[in-house]
Amino acid sequence: MSPGIGLMKRRLEKEKDAIALGISAIAKKYDVKPEILQVLETKYDDDSGDWYVALGWEEKRAIVQMDSVHATIIDIKEI
């Protein structure tokens, strides 16, 4: 039996940790400088334990979904 999400130690405990990982993922995937990325919105989903970070640069926008327990990128959606 595995522990529930509330009992597990999260690697992305704080909003700033999630933002840093999101910026790193977008900078690497789209080959942009991290300095030009703007944080538009952040959200933590209590049910799934995922962080969502919306980032913008130039005319583009993207949402990065991250697993807070494993500190991994689940999905990147350009909007």
Side-chain angles (χ1 to χ4, degrees), residues 5-79:
I5 192 78
L7 300 176
M8 296 178 74
K9 173 83 171 132
R10 294 182 293 156
R11 292 186 183 168
L12 295 177
E13 291 184 4
K14 299 177 182 157
E15 183 178 12
K16 69 177 186 169
D17 298 332
I19 291 171
L21 182 59
I23 287 174
S24 174
I26 293 295
K28 186 181 284 187
K29 181 173 181 172
Y30 293 100
D31 196 31
V32 297
K33 294 181 181 179
E35 300 85 36
I36 67 168
L37 293 172
Q38 296 176 340
V39 178
L40 304 174
E41 188 177 348
T42 60
K43 181 182 181 222
Y44 179 73
D45 185 1
D46 289 324
D47 294 332
S48 65
D50 294 342
W51 277 101
Y52 296 88
V53 177
L55 299 167
W57 69 103
E58 298 170 358
E59 297 295 319
K60 296 183 180 182
R61 309 282 182 266
I63 298 174
V64 183
Q65 180 183 3
M66 296 162 275
D67 183 334
S68 68
V69 174
H70 300 289
T72 57
I73 305 295
I74 296 173
D75 192 19
I76 298 175
K77 292 183 183 177
E78 189 174 344
I79 52 173

